mmCIF file of all heavy atoms in Angstrom:
data_model
loop_
_atom_site.group_PDB
_atom_site.id
_atom_site.type_symbol
_atom_site.label_atom_id
_atom_site.label_comp_id
_atom_site.label_asym_id
_atom_site.label_seq_id
_atom_site.Cartn_x
_atom_site.Cartn_y
_atom_site.Cartn_z
ATOM 1 N N LYS A 224 -38.985 -44.208 -186.289
ATOM 2 C CA LYS A 224 -39.962 -43.287 -186.885
ATOM 3 C C LYS A 224 -39.389 -41.871 -186.859
ATOM 4 O O LYS A 224 -38.982 -41.366 -185.811
ATOM 5 C CB LYS A 224 -41.284 -43.331 -186.104
ATOM 6 C CG LYS A 224 -42.353 -42.360 -186.612
ATOM 7 C CD LYS A 224 -42.832 -42.734 -188.017
ATOM 8 C CE LYS A 224 -43.845 -41.724 -188.563
ATOM 9 N NZ LYS A 224 -45.123 -41.728 -187.836
ATOM 10 N N ILE A 225 -39.381 -41.230 -188.038
ATOM 11 C CA ILE A 225 -38.907 -39.860 -188.183
ATOM 12 C C ILE A 225 -40.104 -38.953 -188.471
ATOM 13 O O ILE A 225 -40.880 -39.212 -189.392
ATOM 14 C CB ILE A 225 -37.875 -39.729 -189.328
ATOM 15 C CG1 ILE A 225 -36.722 -40.718 -189.130
ATOM 16 C CG2 ILE A 225 -37.357 -38.299 -189.423
ATOM 17 C CD1 ILE A 225 -35.943 -40.521 -187.859
ATOM 18 N N ASP A 226 -40.256 -37.916 -187.684
ATOM 19 C CA ASP A 226 -41.350 -36.952 -187.873
ATOM 20 C C ASP A 226 -40.875 -35.819 -188.779
ATOM 21 O O ASP A 226 -40.126 -34.951 -188.367
ATOM 22 C CB ASP A 226 -41.790 -36.399 -186.522
ATOM 23 C CG ASP A 226 -42.887 -35.342 -186.648
ATOM 24 O OD1 ASP A 226 -43.481 -35.241 -187.743
ATOM 25 O OD2 ASP A 226 -43.123 -34.620 -185.663
ATOM 26 N N THR A 227 -41.328 -35.857 -190.037
ATOM 27 C CA THR A 227 -40.933 -34.820 -190.999
ATOM 28 C C THR A 227 -42.019 -33.770 -191.208
ATOM 29 O O THR A 227 -41.921 -32.955 -192.130
ATOM 30 C CB THR A 227 -40.579 -35.455 -192.354
ATOM 31 O OG1 THR A 227 -41.721 -36.211 -192.831
ATOM 32 C CG2 THR A 227 -39.367 -36.363 -192.237
ATOM 33 N N GLY A 228 -43.042 -33.795 -190.361
ATOM 34 C CA GLY A 228 -44.076 -32.771 -190.510
ATOM 35 C C GLY A 228 -45.478 -33.196 -190.143
ATOM 36 O O GLY A 228 -46.401 -32.378 -190.164
ATOM 37 N N MET A 229 -45.660 -34.478 -189.780
ATOM 38 C CA MET A 229 -46.988 -34.929 -189.370
ATOM 39 C C MET A 229 -47.296 -34.483 -187.944
ATOM 40 O O MET A 229 -48.454 -34.266 -187.586
ATOM 41 C CB MET A 229 -47.071 -36.457 -189.481
ATOM 42 C CG MET A 229 -48.468 -37.006 -189.315
ATOM 43 S SD MET A 229 -49.522 -36.554 -190.700
ATOM 44 C CE MET A 229 -51.021 -37.442 -190.291
ATOM 45 N N GLY A 230 -46.239 -34.368 -187.130
ATOM 46 C CA GLY A 230 -46.426 -33.844 -185.781
ATOM 47 C C GLY A 230 -46.948 -34.830 -184.769
ATOM 48 O O GLY A 230 -47.456 -34.423 -183.717
ATOM 49 N N ARG A 231 -46.828 -36.132 -185.062
ATOM 50 C CA ARG A 231 -47.281 -37.129 -184.081
ATOM 51 C C ARG A 231 -46.064 -37.896 -183.585
ATOM 52 O O ARG A 231 -45.192 -37.333 -182.939
ATOM 53 C CB ARG A 231 -48.339 -38.040 -184.723
ATOM 54 C CG ARG A 231 -49.576 -37.257 -185.185
ATOM 55 C CD ARG A 231 -50.727 -38.135 -185.607
ATOM 56 N NE ARG A 231 -50.387 -39.083 -186.658
ATOM 57 C CZ ARG A 231 -51.282 -39.640 -187.461
ATOM 58 N NH1 ARG A 231 -52.549 -39.328 -187.358
ATOM 59 N NH2 ARG A 231 -50.902 -40.497 -188.384
ATOM 60 N N TYR A 232 -46.008 -39.188 -183.847
ATOM 61 C CA TYR A 232 -44.860 -39.971 -183.406
ATOM 62 C C TYR A 232 -43.609 -39.588 -184.186
ATOM 63 O O TYR A 232 -43.675 -39.198 -185.348
ATOM 64 C CB TYR A 232 -45.098 -41.468 -183.643
ATOM 65 C CG TYR A 232 -46.359 -42.030 -183.050
ATOM 66 C CD1 TYR A 232 -47.283 -42.712 -183.837
ATOM 67 C CD2 TYR A 232 -46.644 -41.906 -181.692
ATOM 68 C CE1 TYR A 232 -48.435 -43.256 -183.302
ATOM 69 C CE2 TYR A 232 -47.786 -42.452 -181.144
ATOM 70 C CZ TYR A 232 -48.687 -43.122 -181.958
ATOM 71 O OH TYR A 232 -49.825 -43.655 -181.415
ATOM 72 N N GLY A 233 -42.460 -39.779 -183.554
ATOM 73 C CA GLY A 233 -41.220 -39.696 -184.300
ATOM 74 C C GLY A 233 -40.225 -38.654 -183.825
ATOM 75 O O GLY A 233 -40.582 -37.649 -183.205
ATOM 76 N N PHE A 234 -38.952 -38.925 -184.140
ATOM 77 C CA PHE A 234 -37.878 -37.973 -183.877
ATOM 78 C C PHE A 234 -37.916 -36.883 -184.944
ATOM 79 O O PHE A 234 -37.960 -37.176 -186.139
ATOM 80 C CB PHE A 234 -36.518 -38.672 -183.959
ATOM 81 C CG PHE A 234 -36.270 -39.669 -182.870
ATOM 82 C CD1 PHE A 234 -36.584 -41.013 -183.050
ATOM 83 C CD2 PHE A 234 -35.712 -39.270 -181.651
ATOM 84 C CE1 PHE A 234 -36.347 -41.940 -182.043
ATOM 85 C CE2 PHE A 234 -35.471 -40.191 -180.638
ATOM 86 C CZ PHE A 234 -35.797 -41.528 -180.841
ATOM 87 N N MET A 235 -37.886 -35.644 -184.530
ATOM 88 C CA MET A 235 -37.757 -34.553 -185.485
ATOM 89 C C MET A 235 -36.332 -34.567 -186.034
ATOM 90 O O MET A 235 -35.407 -35.066 -185.375
ATOM 91 C CB MET A 235 -38.063 -33.214 -184.806
ATOM 92 C CG MET A 235 -39.505 -33.068 -184.368
ATOM 93 S SD MET A 235 -39.839 -31.465 -183.589
ATOM 94 C CE MET A 235 -38.907 -31.633 -182.052
ATOM 95 N N PRO A 236 -36.111 -34.033 -187.239
ATOM 96 C CA PRO A 236 -34.763 -34.017 -187.806
ATOM 97 C C PRO A 236 -33.729 -33.391 -186.875
ATOM 98 O O PRO A 236 -32.559 -33.799 -186.870
ATOM 99 C CB PRO A 236 -34.943 -33.206 -189.086
ATOM 100 C CG PRO A 236 -36.341 -33.512 -189.501
ATOM 101 C CD PRO A 236 -37.115 -33.564 -188.215
ATOM 102 N N SER A 237 -34.145 -32.420 -186.083
ATOM 103 C CA SER A 237 -33.219 -31.774 -185.146
ATOM 104 C C SER A 237 -32.821 -32.698 -183.991
ATOM 105 O O SER A 237 -31.893 -32.404 -183.238
ATOM 106 C CB SER A 237 -33.845 -30.501 -184.578
ATOM 107 O OG SER A 237 -35.041 -30.803 -183.872
ATOM 108 N N GLN A 238 -33.522 -33.837 -183.861
ATOM 109 C CA GLN A 238 -33.248 -34.792 -182.783
ATOM 110 C C GLN A 238 -32.500 -36.022 -183.284
ATOM 111 O O GLN A 238 -32.542 -37.083 -182.662
ATOM 112 C CB GLN A 238 -34.569 -35.240 -182.131
ATOM 113 C CG GLN A 238 -35.358 -34.121 -181.477
ATOM 114 C CD GLN A 238 -36.721 -34.585 -180.997
ATOM 115 O OE1 GLN A 238 -37.476 -35.220 -181.737
ATOM 116 N NE2 GLN A 238 -37.031 -34.272 -179.741
ATOM 117 N N VAL A 239 -31.814 -35.886 -184.412
ATOM 118 C CA VAL A 239 -31.160 -37.040 -185.020
ATOM 119 C C VAL A 239 -30.143 -37.689 -184.081
ATOM 120 O O VAL A 239 -29.955 -38.917 -184.096
ATOM 121 C CB VAL A 239 -30.508 -36.649 -186.367
ATOM 122 C CG1 VAL A 239 -29.368 -35.654 -186.166
ATOM 123 C CG2 VAL A 239 -30.023 -37.894 -187.101
ATOM 124 N N GLU A 240 -29.495 -36.905 -183.235
ATOM 125 C CA GLU A 240 -28.517 -37.484 -182.304
ATOM 126 C C GLU A 240 -29.192 -38.425 -181.305
ATOM 127 O O GLU A 240 -28.641 -39.470 -180.949
ATOM 128 C CB GLU A 240 -27.763 -36.375 -181.567
ATOM 129 C CG GLU A 240 -26.805 -35.592 -182.465
ATOM 130 C CD GLU A 240 -25.993 -34.572 -181.687
ATOM 131 O OE1 GLU A 240 -26.122 -34.527 -180.440
ATOM 132 O OE2 GLU A 240 -25.233 -33.813 -182.325
ATOM 133 N N ASP A 241 -30.394 -38.055 -180.862
ATOM 134 C CA ASP A 241 -31.151 -38.939 -179.977
ATOM 135 C C ASP A 241 -31.590 -40.195 -180.723
ATOM 136 O O ASP A 241 -31.586 -41.301 -180.158
ATOM 137 C CB ASP A 241 -32.384 -38.223 -179.416
ATOM 138 C CG ASP A 241 -32.044 -37.251 -178.300
ATOM 139 O OD1 ASP A 241 -30.926 -37.361 -177.750
ATOM 140 O OD2 ASP A 241 -32.888 -36.392 -177.990
ATOM 141 N N ALA A 242 -31.970 -40.028 -181.990
ATOM 142 C CA ALA A 242 -32.385 -41.168 -182.805
ATOM 143 C C ALA A 242 -31.239 -42.167 -182.938
ATOM 144 O O ALA A 242 -31.446 -43.389 -182.842
ATOM 145 C CB ALA A 242 -32.836 -40.695 -184.183
ATOM 146 N N ILE A 243 -30.037 -41.665 -183.128
ATOM 147 C CA ILE A 243 -28.859 -42.528 -183.285
ATOM 148 C C ILE A 243 -28.594 -43.334 -182.016
ATOM 149 O O ILE A 243 -28.173 -44.500 -182.071
ATOM 150 C CB ILE A 243 -27.630 -41.676 -183.683
ATOM 151 C CG1 ILE A 243 -27.822 -41.123 -185.114
ATOM 152 C CG2 ILE A 243 -26.349 -42.496 -183.601
ATOM 153 C CD1 ILE A 243 -26.793 -40.090 -185.527
ATOM 154 N N LYS A 244 -28.886 -42.746 -180.868
ATOM 155 C CA LYS A 244 -28.660 -43.439 -179.592
ATOM 156 C C LYS A 244 -29.508 -44.712 -179.478
ATOM 157 O O LYS A 244 -29.128 -45.659 -178.785
ATOM 158 C CB LYS A 244 -28.983 -42.508 -178.428
ATOM 159 C CG LYS A 244 -28.022 -41.342 -178.259
ATOM 160 C CD LYS A 244 -28.469 -40.426 -177.128
ATOM 161 C CE LYS A 244 -27.566 -39.206 -177.004
ATOM 162 N NZ LYS A 244 -28.034 -38.273 -175.941
ATOM 163 N N CYS A 245 -30.648 -44.728 -180.144
ATOM 164 C CA CYS A 245 -31.551 -45.880 -180.054
ATOM 165 C C CYS A 245 -30.898 -47.163 -180.554
ATOM 166 O O CYS A 245 -31.230 -48.269 -180.104
ATOM 167 C CB CYS A 245 -32.825 -45.617 -180.849
ATOM 168 S SG CYS A 245 -33.848 -44.286 -180.183
ATOM 169 N N TYR A 246 -29.965 -47.010 -181.494
ATOM 170 C CA TYR A 246 -29.323 -48.183 -182.091
ATOM 171 C C TYR A 246 -28.377 -48.891 -181.118
ATOM 172 O O TYR A 246 -27.904 -49.992 -181.416
ATOM 173 C CB TYR A 246 -28.573 -47.766 -183.356
ATOM 174 C CG TYR A 246 -29.489 -47.378 -184.496
ATOM 175 C CD1 TYR A 246 -30.073 -46.106 -184.543
ATOM 176 C CD2 TYR A 246 -29.815 -48.276 -185.504
ATOM 177 C CE1 TYR A 246 -30.933 -45.738 -185.566
ATOM 178 C CE2 TYR A 246 -30.675 -47.922 -186.536
ATOM 179 C CZ TYR A 246 -31.238 -46.664 -186.557
ATOM 180 O OH TYR A 246 -32.099 -46.310 -187.571
ATOM 181 N N ASP A 247 -28.120 -48.297 -179.974
ATOM 182 C CA ASP A 247 -27.180 -48.880 -179.019
ATOM 183 C C ASP A 247 -27.858 -49.718 -177.932
ATOM 184 O O ASP A 247 -27.185 -50.304 -177.095
ATOM 185 C CB ASP A 247 -26.344 -47.768 -178.364
ATOM 186 C CG ASP A 247 -25.450 -47.058 -179.368
ATOM 187 O OD1 ASP A 247 -24.998 -47.712 -180.324
ATOM 188 O OD2 ASP A 247 -25.221 -45.832 -179.199
ATOM 189 N N PHE A 248 -29.203 -49.776 -177.957
ATOM 190 C CA PHE A 248 -29.894 -50.609 -176.973
ATOM 191 C C PHE A 248 -29.712 -52.076 -177.346
ATOM 192 O O PHE A 248 -29.996 -52.490 -178.468
ATOM 193 C CB PHE A 248 -31.382 -50.254 -176.913
ATOM 194 C CG PHE A 248 -31.663 -48.950 -176.212
ATOM 195 C CD1 PHE A 248 -31.817 -47.768 -176.926
ATOM 196 C CD2 PHE A 248 -31.773 -48.911 -174.831
ATOM 197 C CE1 PHE A 248 -32.073 -46.564 -176.282
ATOM 198 C CE2 PHE A 248 -32.028 -47.716 -174.168
ATOM 199 C CZ PHE A 248 -32.175 -46.539 -174.899
ATOM 200 N N SER A 249 -29.259 -52.865 -176.383
ATOM 201 C CA SER A 249 -28.865 -54.250 -176.673
ATOM 202 C C SER A 249 -30.017 -55.181 -177.011
ATOM 203 O O SER A 249 -29.812 -56.209 -177.676
ATOM 204 C CB SER A 249 -28.078 -54.820 -175.483
ATOM 205 O OG SER A 249 -28.857 -54.780 -174.294
ATOM 206 N N ASN A 250 -31.224 -54.863 -176.575
ATOM 207 C CA ASN A 250 -32.353 -55.753 -176.837
ATOM 208 C C ASN A 250 -33.256 -55.282 -177.983
ATOM 209 O O ASN A 250 -34.358 -55.788 -178.165
ATOM 210 C CB ASN A 250 -33.182 -55.945 -175.566
ATOM 211 C CG ASN A 250 -32.442 -56.756 -174.523
ATOM 212 O OD1 ASN A 250 -31.709 -56.195 -173.698
ATOM 213 N ND2 ASN A 250 -32.586 -58.085 -174.569
ATOM 214 N N LEU A 251 -32.776 -54.293 -178.732
ATOM 215 C CA LEU A 251 -33.507 -53.788 -179.892
ATOM 216 C C LEU A 251 -32.690 -54.029 -181.153
ATOM 217 O O LEU A 251 -31.487 -53.795 -181.177
ATOM 218 C CB LEU A 251 -33.795 -52.292 -179.746
ATOM 219 C CG LEU A 251 -34.534 -51.839 -178.479
ATOM 220 C CD1 LEU A 251 -34.797 -50.338 -178.527
ATOM 221 C CD2 LEU A 251 -35.829 -52.612 -178.279
ATOM 222 N N GLU A 252 -33.365 -54.502 -182.188
ATOM 223 C CA GLU A 252 -32.715 -54.717 -183.480
ATOM 224 C C GLU A 252 -33.432 -53.865 -184.531
ATOM 225 O O GLU A 252 -34.567 -54.163 -184.906
ATOM 226 C CB GLU A 252 -32.780 -56.189 -183.880
ATOM 227 C CG GLU A 252 -32.153 -56.478 -185.239
ATOM 228 C CD GLU A 252 -32.374 -57.900 -185.706
ATOM 229 O OE1 GLU A 252 -33.052 -58.675 -184.995
ATOM 230 O OE2 GLU A 252 -31.884 -58.235 -186.804
ATOM 231 N N PHE A 253 -32.788 -52.812 -184.985
ATOM 232 C CA PHE A 253 -33.424 -51.911 -185.953
ATOM 233 C C PHE A 253 -33.281 -52.468 -187.366
ATOM 234 O O PHE A 253 -32.181 -52.682 -187.865
ATOM 235 C CB PHE A 253 -32.836 -50.503 -185.836
ATOM 236 C CG PHE A 253 -33.368 -49.751 -184.651
ATOM 237 C CD1 PHE A 253 -32.772 -49.882 -183.406
ATOM 238 C CD2 PHE A 253 -34.507 -48.967 -184.771
ATOM 239 C CE1 PHE A 253 -33.284 -49.231 -182.298
ATOM 240 C CE2 PHE A 253 -35.034 -48.312 -183.666
ATOM 241 C CZ PHE A 253 -34.424 -48.439 -182.426
#
């Protein structure tokens, strides 16, 4: 989930590096 202005759930665009880290969790399939 990317937060582009709703202000609730999601990574803000400035947090894209943290968002990318999520893809490395072994038990999650994006």
Side-chain angles (χ1 to χ4, degrees):
K224 178 66 183 293
I225 306 299
D226 178 14
T227 57
M229 190 69 175
R231 299 190 304 202
Y232 306 125
F234 292 93
M235 293 181 291
S237 61
Q238 298 173 311
V239 65
E240 290 184 4
D241 283 343
I243 292 170
K244 291 177 184 177
C245 294
Y246 290 80
D247 295 328
F248 286 96
S249 59
N250 291 89
L251 305 183
E252 178 187 2
F253 283 86

